[in-house]
Protein backbone atom coordinates (compact mmCIF):
# COMPACT_ATOMS: atom_id res chain seq x y z
CA UNK A 1 0.00 0.00 0.00
CA UNK A 2 2.00 2.98 -1.27
CA UNK A 3 5.31 3.00 0.67
CA UNK A 4 3.89 0.68 3.34
CA UNK A 5 3.83 -3.07 3.64
CA UNK A 6 0.57 -4.19 5.26
CA UNK A 7 -1.19 -7.45 6.11
CA UNK A 8 -4.03 -8.59 3.77
CA UNK A 9 -6.50 -7.70 6.54
CA UNK A 10 -6.37 -5.01 9.21
CA UNK A 11 -8.38 -4.59 12.40
CA UNK A 12 -10.78 -1.70 13.01
CA UNK A 13 -11.03 -0.04 16.43
CA UNK A 14 -14.29 1.97 16.17
CA UNK A 15 -15.68 0.05 19.19
CA UNK A 16 -12.70 0.98 21.42
CA UNK A 17 -14.17 3.82 23.46
CA UNK A 18 -17.64 3.85 21.87
CA UNK A 19 -20.27 3.37 24.59
CA UNK A 20 -23.29 4.38 22.53
CA UNK A 21 -23.13 1.88 19.67
CA UNK A 22 -20.75 -0.80 20.93
CA UNK A 23 -21.20 -0.72 24.73
CA UNK A 24 -17.55 0.01 25.53
CA UNK A 25 -16.44 0.18 29.17
CA UNK A 26 -12.93 0.81 30.49
CA UNK A 27 -13.00 -2.62 32.16
CA UNK A 28 -12.67 -4.06 28.62
CA UNK A 29 -9.18 -2.56 28.15
CA UNK A 30 -7.23 -5.62 29.32
CA UNK A 31 -9.10 -7.86 26.85
CA UNK A 32 -8.59 -5.28 24.08
CA UNK A 33 -4.86 -5.38 24.83
CA UNK A 34 -4.93 -9.18 24.45
CA UNK A 35 -6.86 -8.74 21.17
CA UNK A 36 -4.12 -6.40 19.92
CA UNK A 37 -1.34 -8.81 20.96
CA UNK A 38 -3.04 -11.84 19.33
CA UNK A 39 -3.46 -9.85 16.11
CA UNK A 40 0.16 -8.69 15.97
CA UNK A 41 1.60 -12.12 16.85
CA UNK A 42 -0.49 -13.59 14.01
CA UNK A 43 0.86 -11.16 11.41
CA UNK A 44 -1.73 -8.36 11.48
CA UNK A 45 0.10 -5.04 11.30
CA UNK A 46 -2.63 -2.62 10.11
CA UNK A 47 -4.88 -0.97 12.70
CA UNK A 48 -7.47 1.61 11.71
CA UNK A 49 -8.66 4.28 14.14
CA UNK A 50 -9.85 7.93 14.14
CA UNK A 51 -9.52 11.04 16.26
CA UNK A 52 -13.32 11.01 16.73
CA UNK A 53 -13.51 7.42 18.02
CA UNK A 54 -14.66 7.38 21.61
CA UNK A 55 -17.92 8.87 22.85
CA UNK A 56 -18.30 11.89 25.15
CA UNK A 57 -15.45 12.21 27.64
CA UNK A 58 -13.79 9.21 25.98
CA UNK A 59 -13.16 11.11 22.72
CA UNK A 60 -9.82 9.96 21.28
CA UNK A 61 -9.85 6.84 23.50
CA UNK A 62 -9.29 4.46 20.56
CA UNK A 63 -6.06 6.26 19.58
CA UNK A 64 -4.87 6.38 23.22
CA UNK A 65 -5.42 2.64 23.67
CA UNK A 66 -3.65 1.78 20.41
CA UNK A 67 -0.62 3.86 21.38
CA UNK A 68 -0.50 2.23 24.82
CA UNK A 69 -0.79 -1.30 23.37
CA UNK A 70 2.05 -0.65 20.90
CA UNK A 71 4.30 0.69 23.69
CA UNK A 72 3.54 -2.24 25.98
CA UNK A 73 3.85 -4.98 23.32
CA UNK A 74 6.43 -7.43 24.65
CA UNK A 75 7.16 -9.38 21.47
CA UNK A 76 9.73 -8.94 18.72
CA UNK A 77 10.95 -5.32 18.37
CA UNK A 78 10.93 -5.52 14.55
CA UNK A 79 7.30 -6.71 14.58
CA UNK A 80 6.47 -3.76 16.85
CA UNK A 81 8.24 -1.32 14.50
CA UNK A 82 6.31 -2.64 11.48
CA UNK A 83 2.88 -1.79 12.93
CA UNK A 84 0.99 0.61 10.65
CA UNK A 85 -1.53 2.93 12.26
CA UNK A 86 -4.11 4.40 9.88
CA UNK A 87 -6.00 7.18 11.62
CA UNK A 88 -8.70 9.48 10.32
CA UNK A 89 -9.06 13.20 11.02
CA UNK A 90 -12.66 14.39 11.30
CA UNK A 91 -13.82 17.20 9.00
CA UNK A 92 -15.24 19.10 11.98
CA UNK A 93 -16.85 22.45 11.05
CA UNK A 94 -14.18 24.31 13.08
CA UNK A 95 -11.31 22.74 11.10
CA UNK A 96 -11.27 25.42 8.46
CA UNK A 97 -7.57 25.87 7.63
CA UNK A 98 -4.67 23.61 6.68
CA UNK A 99 -2.97 24.68 9.94
CA UNK A 100 -5.88 23.39 12.01
CA UNK A 101 -5.69 20.09 10.14
CA UNK A 102 -1.95 19.86 10.91
CA UNK A 103 -2.75 20.51 14.60
CA UNK A 104 -5.31 17.70 14.52
CA UNK A 105 -2.59 15.37 13.23
CA UNK A 106 -0.18 16.51 15.95
CA UNK A 107 -2.87 15.89 18.60
CA UNK A 108 -3.29 12.32 17.31
CA UNK A 109 0.49 11.80 17.48
CA UNK A 110 0.43 13.07 21.08
CA UNK A 111 -2.47 10.79 22.06
CA UNK A 112 -0.73 7.75 20.59
CA UNK A 113 2.75 8.93 21.69
CA UNK A 114 4.27 7.94 18.36
CA UNK A 115 6.57 9.94 16.08
CA UNK A 116 4.89 9.27 12.74
CA UNK A 117 1.48 7.99 11.62
CA UNK A 118 1.37 5.30 8.91
CA UNK A 119 -1.62 6.65 6.96
CA UNK A 120 -3.28 9.98 7.75
CA UNK A 121 -6.80 9.96 6.31
CA UNK A 122 -9.47 12.60 5.82
CA UNK A 123 -12.51 11.02 7.55
CA UNK A 124 -15.15 12.40 5.17
CA UNK A 125 -15.60 14.97 2.43
CA UNK A 126 -17.32 18.31 3.02
CA UNK A 127 -17.83 18.90 -0.73
CA UNK A 128 -21.63 18.52 -0.49
CA UNK A 129 -22.12 21.16 2.20
CA UNK A 130 -18.89 23.21 2.63
CA UNK A 131 -16.83 23.17 -0.60
CA UNK A 132 -14.43 25.89 0.58
CA UNK A 133 -13.57 23.89 3.70
CA UNK A 134 -12.90 20.87 1.47
CA UNK A 135 -10.02 22.65 -0.30
CA UNK A 136 -8.45 23.65 3.04
CA UNK A 137 -8.65 20.03 4.23
CA UNK A 138 -6.95 18.81 1.04
CA UNK A 139 -4.17 21.34 1.64
CA UNK A 140 -4.00 19.99 5.19
CA UNK A 141 -3.34 16.49 3.82
CA UNK A 142 -0.55 17.91 1.65
CA UNK A 143 0.94 19.70 4.68
CA UNK A 144 1.00 16.66 7.00
CA UNK A 145 2.67 14.65 4.22
CA UNK A 146 5.23 17.35 3.40
CA UNK A 147 6.07 17.81 7.11
CA UNK A 148 6.68 14.06 7.49
CA UNK A 149 3.98 13.68 10.17
CA UNK A 150 2.56 10.76 8.15
CA UNK A 151 4.15 8.22 5.81
CA UNK A 152 1.17 8.24 3.46
CA UNK A 153 -2.25 9.89 3.04
CA UNK A 154 -5.69 8.47 2.33
CA UNK A 155 -9.36 9.37 2.28
CA UNK A 156 -12.49 7.84 3.73
CA UNK A 157 -16.13 7.94 2.54
CA UNK A 158 -15.24 9.47 -0.84
CA UNK A 159 -17.54 8.68 -3.76
CA UNK A 160 -16.21 8.18 -7.30
CA UNK A 161 -16.30 11.83 -8.49
CA UNK A 162 -14.65 13.34 -5.42
CA UNK A 163 -12.11 10.51 -5.30
CA UNK A 164 -10.89 11.38 -8.80
CA UNK A 165 -10.75 15.09 -7.93
CA UNK A 166 -8.69 14.66 -4.76
CA UNK A 167 -6.37 12.16 -6.44
CA UNK A 168 -5.58 14.68 -9.20
CA UNK A 169 -5.27 17.59 -6.73
CA UNK A 170 -2.79 15.71 -4.55
CA UNK A 171 -0.86 14.33 -7.53
CA UNK A 172 -0.31 17.86 -8.87
CA UNK A 173 1.30 18.69 -5.52
CA UNK A 174 3.55 15.63 -5.50
CA UNK A 175 1.49 13.74 -2.92
CA UNK A 176 0.38 10.19 -3.84
CA UNK A 177 -3.08 9.11 -2.65
CA UNK A 178 -2.33 5.80 -0.98
CA UNK A 179 -5.75 4.53 0.13
CA UNK A 180 -9.50 5.05 -0.06
CA UNK A 181 -11.62 3.65 2.73
CA UNK A 182 -15.29 2.91 2.05
CA UNK A 183 -18.08 0.67 3.24
CA UNK A 184 -17.54 -2.43 1.08
CA UNK A 185 -18.98 -5.89 1.62
CA UNK A 186 -21.47 -8.37 0.18
CA UNK A 187 -24.06 -5.93 1.56
CA UNK A 188 -22.38 -2.86 0.02
CA UNK A 189 -21.49 -3.76 -3.55
CA UNK A 190 -23.77 -1.35 -5.40
CA UNK A 191 -22.90 0.67 -8.51
CA UNK A 192 -21.04 3.45 -6.63
CA UNK A 193 -18.93 1.04 -4.58
CA UNK A 194 -17.89 -0.96 -7.66
CA UNK A 195 -17.05 2.28 -9.50
CA UNK A 196 -14.87 3.38 -6.54
CA UNK A 197 -13.17 -0.03 -6.66
CA UNK A 198 -12.47 0.33 -10.41
CA UNK A 199 -11.03 3.84 -9.94
CA UNK A 200 -8.78 2.59 -7.13
CA UNK A 201 -7.54 -0.31 -9.26
CA UNK A 202 -6.78 1.91 -12.25
CA UNK A 203 -4.93 4.56 -10.19
CA UNK A 204 -3.01 2.26 -7.84
CA UNK A 205 -5.00 3.32 -4.74
CA UNK A 206 -5.66 0.53 -2.20
CA UNK A 207 -9.29 0.15 -1.19
CA UNK A 208 -9.79 -0.43 2.54
CA UNK A 209 -13.16 -2.09 3.23
CA UNK A 210 -14.81 -1.02 6.44
CA UNK A 211 -17.87 -2.83 7.81
CA UNK A 212 -16.96 -6.01 5.84
CA UNK A 213 -19.50 -7.83 8.03
CA UNK A 214 -22.22 -5.19 7.58
CA UNK A 215 -22.04 -4.05 11.25
CA UNK A 216 -22.62 -7.70 12.22
CA UNK A 217 -25.43 -8.56 9.79
CA UNK A 218 -23.13 -10.96 7.89
CA UNK A 219 -22.07 -12.93 10.96
CA UNK A 220 -25.03 -15.33 10.97
CA UNK A 221 -25.53 -14.49 14.66
CA UNK A 222 -28.67 -12.40 14.19
CA UNK A 223 -32.14 -12.97 12.72
CA UNK A 224 -35.38 -10.92 12.52
CA UNK A 225 -36.39 -12.54 15.83
CA UNK A 226 -32.95 -12.09 17.44
CA UNK A 227 -31.77 -8.51 16.98
CA UNK A 228 -28.89 -6.69 18.73
CA UNK A 229 -29.76 -4.04 21.32
CA UNK A 230 -29.39 -0.31 20.74
CA UNK A 231 -29.39 1.63 17.42
CA UNK A 232 -28.17 -1.41 15.43
CA UNK A 233 -31.38 -3.30 16.25
CA UNK A 234 -33.49 -0.80 14.26
CA UNK A 235 -31.25 -1.06 11.20
CA UNK A 236 -31.02 -4.86 11.39
CA UNK A 237 -34.81 -5.11 11.71
CA UNK A 238 -35.18 -3.34 8.36
CA UNK A 239 -32.51 -5.25 6.44
CA UNK A 240 -32.25 -8.81 7.84
CA UNK A 241 -35.66 -10.09 6.62
CA UNK A 242 -34.52 -9.62 3.00
CA UNK A 243 -31.08 -11.22 3.42
CA UNK A 244 -32.04 -14.89 3.32
CA UNK A 245 -30.56 -15.71 -0.14
CA UNK A 246 -27.20 -14.15 0.79
CA UNK A 247 -27.05 -15.67 4.28
CA UNK A 248 -27.97 -19.09 2.84
CA UNK A 249 -25.11 -18.85 0.30
CA UNK A 250 -22.68 -17.83 3.06
CA UNK A 251 -23.85 -20.69 5.29
CA UNK A 252 -23.57 -23.29 2.51
CA UNK A 253 -20.02 -22.28 1.57
CA UNK A 254 -18.96 -21.99 5.24
CA UNK A 255 -20.16 -25.54 5.97
CA UNK A 256 -18.49 -26.95 2.86
CA UNK A 257 -15.22 -25.15 3.66
CA UNK A 258 -15.36 -25.83 7.42
CA UNK A 259 -15.15 -22.08 7.97
CA UNK A 260 -17.49 -19.70 9.75
CA UNK A 261 -19.86 -17.27 8.00
CA UNK A 262 -17.80 -14.17 9.01
CA UNK A 263 -14.61 -15.83 7.69
CA UNK A 264 -16.25 -16.40 4.30
CA UNK A 265 -17.62 -12.82 4.15
CA UNK A 266 -14.20 -11.32 4.99
CA UNK A 267 -12.44 -13.61 2.53
CA UNK A 268 -14.76 -12.34 -0.22
CA UNK A 269 -13.45 -8.79 0.43
CA UNK A 270 -9.84 -10.03 0.21
CA UNK A 271 -10.57 -11.92 -3.03
CA UNK A 272 -11.93 -8.65 -4.50
CA UNK A 273 -8.48 -7.10 -3.97
CA UNK A 274 -9.46 -4.94 -0.98
CA UNK A 275 -8.07 -4.80 2.56
CA UNK A 276 -10.94 -5.49 4.97
CA UNK A 277 -10.77 -4.03 8.48
CA UNK A 278 -13.35 -5.91 10.57
CA UNK A 279 -13.93 -4.44 14.00
CA UNK A 280 -12.67 -6.42 17.00
CA UNK A 281 -13.57 -6.09 20.63
CA UNK A 282 -13.11 -9.63 22.00
CA UNK A 283 -10.50 -12.40 21.83
CA UNK A 284 -13.12 -14.68 20.28
CA UNK A 285 -13.78 -12.19 17.45
CA UNK A 286 -10.05 -11.67 16.85
CA UNK A 287 -9.39 -15.41 16.59
CA UNK A 288 -12.38 -15.93 14.31
CA UNK A 289 -11.40 -13.05 12.00
CA UNK A 290 -7.86 -14.45 11.70
CA UNK A 291 -9.44 -17.58 10.21
CA UNK A 292 -10.34 -15.51 7.14
CA UNK A 293 -6.65 -15.59 6.11
CA UNK A 294 -4.55 -18.29 4.48
CA UNK A 295 -7.11 -19.62 1.97
CA UNK A 296 -9.12 -18.33 -0.96
CA UNK A 297 -12.67 -18.67 -2.26
CA UNK A 298 -12.94 -20.12 -5.79
CA UNK A 299 -14.39 -18.07 -8.67
CA UNK A 300 -17.54 -20.24 -8.52
CA UNK A 301 -17.95 -19.53 -4.81
CA UNK A 302 -17.47 -15.79 -5.41
CA UNK A 303 -20.19 -15.93 -8.07
CA UNK A 304 -22.53 -17.86 -5.77
CA UNK A 305 -22.10 -15.24 -3.03
CA UNK A 306 -22.58 -12.32 -5.41
CA UNK A 307 -25.71 -13.90 -6.87
CA UNK A 308 -27.00 -14.40 -3.33
CA UNK A 309 -26.33 -10.71 -2.63
CA UNK A 310 -28.15 -9.64 -5.80
CA UNK A 311 -31.15 -11.83 -4.90
CA UNK A 312 -31.36 -10.21 -1.46
CA UNK A 313 -33.54 -7.12 -1.95
CA UNK A 314 -32.14 -5.17 1.02
CA UNK A 315 -28.74 -3.61 0.55
CA UNK A 316 -26.84 -1.93 3.38
CA UNK A 317 -27.85 1.71 3.89
CA UNK A 318 -24.91 3.67 2.51
CA UNK A 319 -22.99 5.82 4.95
CA UNK A 320 -24.53 9.31 4.85
CA UNK A 321 -21.03 10.77 4.95
CA UNK A 322 -20.11 9.29 1.54
CA UNK A 323 -20.08 11.90 -1.22
CA UNK A 324 -21.00 11.43 -4.86
Amino acid sequence: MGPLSVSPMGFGTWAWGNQLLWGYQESMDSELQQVFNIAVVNGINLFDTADSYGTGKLNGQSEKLLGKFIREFEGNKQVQDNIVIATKFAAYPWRLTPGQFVNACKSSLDRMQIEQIGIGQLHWSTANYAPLQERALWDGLVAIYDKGLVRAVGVSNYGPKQLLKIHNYLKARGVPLCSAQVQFSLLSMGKDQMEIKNICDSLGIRLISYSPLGLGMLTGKYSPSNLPSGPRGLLFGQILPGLEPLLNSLKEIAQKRRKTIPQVAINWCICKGTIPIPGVKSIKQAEENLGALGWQLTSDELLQLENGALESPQQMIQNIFQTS
Side-chain angles (χ1 to χ4, degrees):
M1 190 194 283
L4 306 161
S5 180
V6 298
S7 42
M9 170 178 75
F11 277 175
T13 64
W14 180 17
W16 300 12
N18 189 304
Q19 292 170 316
L20 180 72
L21 199 64
W22 301 108
Y24 167 81
Q25 287 170 6
E26 290 184 51
S27 58
M28 296 175 178
D29 289 357
S30 63
E31 184 170 11
L32 291 177
Q33 185 154 17
Q34 287 174 276
V35 164
F36 175 84
N37 290 340
I38 287 166
V40 174
V41 165
N42 283 282
I44 301 294
N45 77 329
L46 175 66
F47 293 88
D48 181 78
T49 183
D51 64 0
S52 61
Y53 286 176
T55 42
K57 282 188 291 192
L58 294 169
N59 204 27
Q61 181 75 351
S62 173
E63 288 186 333
K64 282 179 193 163
L65 287 173
L66 258 182
K68 177 179 183 284
F69 298 163
I70 292 171
R71 284 194 305 281
E72 294 178 3
F73 179 71
E74 289 175 351
N76 183 305
K77 179 79 171 72
Q78 194 179 348
V79 169
Q80 188 182 26
D81 291 344
N82 286 338
I83 291 168
V84 174
I85 300 292
T87 195
K88 299 181 291 294
F89 309 113
Y92 291 133
W94 56 86
R95 283 186 182 158
L96 293 167
T97 66
Q100 286 166 319
F101 195 82
V102 169
N103 289 341
C105 182
K106 286 177 177 172
S107 296
S108 287
L109 287 165
D110 287 347
R111 270 191 294 277
M112 292 188 273
Q113 292 179 39
I114 57 175
E115 284 172 23
Q116 193 181 40
I117 287 162
I119 311 168
Q121 306 160 98
L122 180 51
H123 204 154
W124 65 85
S125 165
T126 66
N128 289 350
Y129 60 91
L132 291 176
Q133 183 186 9
E134 177 87 344
R135 185 56 55 90
L137 296 170
W138 291 4
D139 287 337
L141 277 177
V142 173
I144 62 173
Y145 182 81
D146 285 348
K147 288 174 187 293
L149 301 177
V150 299
R151 287 187 66 195
V153 300
V155 290
S156 175
N157 296 309
Y158 267 62
K161 289 187 188 130
Q162 283 300 109
L163 182 59
L164 274 173
K165 280 185 192 169
I166 189 166
H167 169 270
N168 294 338
Y169 187 85
L170 293 175
K171 190 180 178 186
R173 283 149 188 81
V175 179
L177 183 61
C178 163
S179 62
Q181 187 178 143
V182 290
Q183 195 169 286
F184 190 86
S185 70
L186 282 158
L187 266 182
S188 294
M189 45 172 266
K191 185 173 147 290
D192 268 8
Q193 304 315 84
M194 297 322 281
E195 195 181 336
I196 292 165
K197 172 77 181 65
N198 293 338
I199 290 168
C200 285
D201 290 349
S202 67
L203 295 174
I205 302 165
R206 285 309 298 266
L207 193 146
I208 299 174
S209 318
Y210 74 77
S211 295
L213 299 174
L215 298 177
M217 272 181 273
L218 297 181
T219 60
K221 291 170 191 167
Y222 301 103
S223 67
S225 58
N226 174 33
L227 298 169
S229 57
R232 283 192 304 156
L234 296 169
L235 181 67
F236 282 34
Q238 291 174 318
I239 296 177
L240 275 174
L243 283 190
E244 218 167 288
L246 174 55
L247 289 171
N248 286 342
S249 298
L250 281 163
K251 202 177 295 178
E252 194 183 307
I253 291 168
Q255 283 170 345
K256 195 175 70 186
R257 285 282 197 156
R258 295 189 177 170
K259 298 289 175 189
T260 66
I261 289 174
Q263 287 167 352
V264 173
I266 294 169
N267 193 276
W268 177 85
C269 291
I270 296 169
C271 288
K272 296 311 258 184
T274 77
I275 299 173
I277 48 165
V280 278
K281 62 181 203 293
S282 71
I283 292 166
K284 188 172 173 290
Q285 279 178 345
E287 288 173 342
E288 183 170 26
N289 289 348
L290 286 166
L293 298 175
W295 60 283
Q296 220 169 2
L297 291 160
T298 66
S299 51
D300 285 351
E301 287 169 332
L302 293 173
L303 205 58
Q304 185 184 340
L305 289 170
E306 285 156 31
N307 286 337
L310 294 171
E311 285 167 31
S312 299
Q314 290 288 11
Q315 288 280 299
M316 183 82 167
I317 294 163
Q318 195 52 59
N319 192 321
I320 52 159
F321 286 118
Q322 186 170 306
T323 55
S324 57

